[in-house]
Amino acid sequence: MESHQLWAVNRKGQALLRLGLVEGKFQRARELKPWQGQGPVQVREWPFLGPSVASGGEVCCRHQQQRRGSSKRSGPLDDRPFSGLLRPENLSREELVDVLRAAVVDQKGPLVTLNKPQGLPVTGKPGELTLLSVLPELSQSLGLGERELQVVRASGKETSGLVLLSSCPQTASRLQKFFTHSQRARRPTGTYCAVTDGIPATSEGKIQAALKLEHIDGVNLVVPVKSPSRKDILEGVKRTLSYFRVVAMGSGCALVQLQPVTAFPSQLQAHMALQLCPLLGDHTYSARVATVLGQRFLLPAESTRPQRQVLDEALLSRLHLTPSQAAQLPLHLHLHCLYLPGARPRDPPIKLLAPLPSYFSRTLHCLGLHYQ
């Protein structure tokens, strides 16, 4: 897919950030069927959201569409492999609002959909620049007046992709109930795109693991738990589930779609590390996967400290990266798709799509991976 560029500009006319965008739009989906072990999602029992949530048909985003089925970009590769990455510490509040306004992919009724840049935290400590901290200014910038936006669904700091905001508390509450209901019914409502270092053993399947958060050397890390007891579950261990499907593979890497059914911090990173295929740019959990004589195996999670991901020379060459550049490689995990209930109880679900970031598209181009 060819990438397209959208510039966010501050009041002085200076470019703040270049976001690489590919096709994004609203689509209505006939059914939602996970890849393993579940039937179509039924939405008739979910709350009515009102006609302002979505209109019929498709609504295209403000950038050009591109040919489907290809990740290739026109022109030579960018000399700056991670151009367009957000550095919140280098931005003022005003500049961040401009960046977020440029990242809006659709605004309908009370709902605002953003394509969040990688590196932007949703929440943080008091005084830190986060998405939540600038929502009042963003609401004003989007002409919402006194109707301040609130977060309905968002990906984490290191993850790029869809953020769903609402200026109506009632709509936000109904959507949150929809997501909670879907999770309890074990129905995925979001699809992530990811690039893995390594190729999963099967083309599709599910990953089940009991996980817990453990404070190790001053950092909260996700640790798998084998055969958790009832006491473990009461003390915070959670049984987690994700579906995966390999879309394309080449150069020892894979483009994978991931559907988390449960919600746990860093669930997808931990799950793919357990599959011996850590996410590209995962500088936390990739260290748990070691290789000896070409064979991969897991190191003990409790005693393996996070470190910068180490890529072999062949992969570095394909990505046109130096080892120092690879140490700054962003996490290749993008919340590409969300499903929302239709405007009326019997309406089919609505499918929201978010464009891939420019560095993600560049990686696909380098590896010869094509998104179908």
Side-chain angles (χ1 to χ4, degrees):
M1 291 179 287
E2 293 181 359
S3 63
H4 299 279
Q5 296 162 351
L6 183 66
W7 288 83
V9 179
N10 66 8
R11 296 180 182 177
K12 296 180 181 179
Q14 298 173 329
L16 299 175
L17 176 70
R18 187 171 68 184
L19 299 174
L21 301 179
V22 295
E23 182 182 7
K25 57 186 176 180
F26 276 94
Q27 291 182 334
R28 288 195 172 276
R30 291 294 180 186
E31 67 176 13
L32 311 179
K33 183 180 291 185
W35 305 303
Q36 184 85 10
Q38 295 183 358
V41 172
Q42 302 295 326
V43 297
R44 64 187 62 179
E45 57 199 287
W46 286 315
F48 170 68
L49 299 181
S52 61
V53 172
S55 59
E58 295 184 355
V59 181
C60 292
C61 299
R62 293 174 295 196
H63 47 277
Q64 301 175 5
Q65 294 186 6
Q66 58 188 0
R67 182 170 61 88
R68 298 176 67 87
S70 172
S71 62
K72 291 184 178 180
R73 299 166 11 135
S74 61
L77 289 175
D78 196 330
D79 290 335
R80 300 165 299 164
F82 315 134
S83 62
L85 283 186
L86 190 69
R87 306 295 183 193
E89 64 274 13
N90 296 332
L91 298 179
S92 66
R93 294 179 67 88
E94 181 182 88
E95 289 169 339
L96 180 56
V97 170
D98 287 332
V99 167
L100 292 176
R101 183 172 180 177
V104 172
V105 294
D106 205 84
Q107 182 176 354
K108 298 185 72 64
L111 293 183
V112 174
T113 308
L114 297 178
N115 189 10
K116 185 185 81 68
Q118 192 269 354
L120 176 64
V122 177
T123 61
K125 299 177 182 177
E128 289 184 347
L129 202 57
T130 65
L131 172 65
L132 204 60
S133 71
V134 297
L135 283 185
E137 293 97 320
L138 181 61
S139 303
Q140 292 290 330
S141 178
L142 294 176
L144 298 176
E146 299 300 321
R147 295 174 296 150
E148 186 172 317
L149 290 166
Q150 62 184 93
V151 177
V152 179
R153 180 78 178 262
S155 50
K157 175 183 177 180
E158 302 303 326
T159 305
S160 61
L162 283 166
V163 170
L164 186 61
L165 308 172
S166 175
S167 61
C168 173
Q170 291 77 20
T171 298
S173 176
R174 290 165 185 164
L175 284 172
Q176 286 164 349
K177 288 178 181 178
F178 163 78
F179 289 127
T180 300
H181 180 96
S182 299
Q183 187 180 110
R184 289 174 178 170
R186 303 179 81 79
R187 296 176 182 133
T189 56
T191 300
Y192 291 76
C193 289
V195 178
T196 61
D197 175 19
I199 300 173
T202 59
S203 61
E204 62 180 50
K206 61 182 178 180
I207 306 167
Q208 293 176 295
L211 303 176
K212 67 176 180 178
L213 276 176
E214 193 164 302
H215 199 69
I216 302 174
D217 292 343
V219 180
N220 285 325
L221 296 175
V222 176
V223 175
V225 178
K226 293 183 179 179
S227 305
S229 65
R230 181 179 179 85
K231 180 181 178 182
D232 291 331
I233 300 299
L234 293 174
E235 292 178 349
V237 175
K238 184 172 181 177
R239 292 187 175 92
T240 61
L241 170 65
S242 300
Y243 293 100
F244 72 91
R245 181 172 65 179
V246 177
V247 177
M249 52 188 174
S251 304
C253 295
L255 173 61
V256 180
Q257 288 181 328
L258 298 167
Q259 288 184 327
V261 177
T262 53
F264 197 81
S266 302
Q267 174 176 315
L268 295 178
Q269 293 97 301
H271 277 185
M272 294 314 295
L274 289 173
Q275 297 299 299
L276 303 178
C277 298
L279 300 184
L280 204 61
D282 182 354
H283 303 293
T284 301
Y285 300 101
S286 62
R288 296 178 180 177
V289 180
T291 304
V292 173
L293 299 177
Q295 298 298 313
R296 293 191 173 195
F297 60 95
L298 284 174
L299 296 174
E302 294 84 356
S303 59
T304 305
R305 301 297 176 257
Q307 65 180 32
R308 292 291 178 182
Q309 189 173 35
V310 178
L311 305 178
D312 62 43
E313 291 185 5
L315 183 52
L316 288 175
S317 178
R318 286 301 302 266
L319 294 173
H320 302 281
L321 297 177
T322 65
S324 61
Q325 288 174 325
Q328 305 302 319
L329 193 69
L331 183 67
H332 282 56
L333 181 63
H334 178 77
L335 180 50
H336 175 62
C337 174
L338 277 178
Y339 296 104
L340 302 183
R344 293 176 294 274
R346 291 187 177 272
D347 282 354
I350 299 167
K351 184 178 181 181
L352 284 70
L353 299 177
L356 295 172
S358 58
Y359 64 83
F360 202 118
S361 296
R362 179 190 184 277
T363 295
L364 296 184
H365 179 100
C366 291
L367 297 176
L369 302 177
H370 306 299
Y371 187 73
Q372 302 294 331

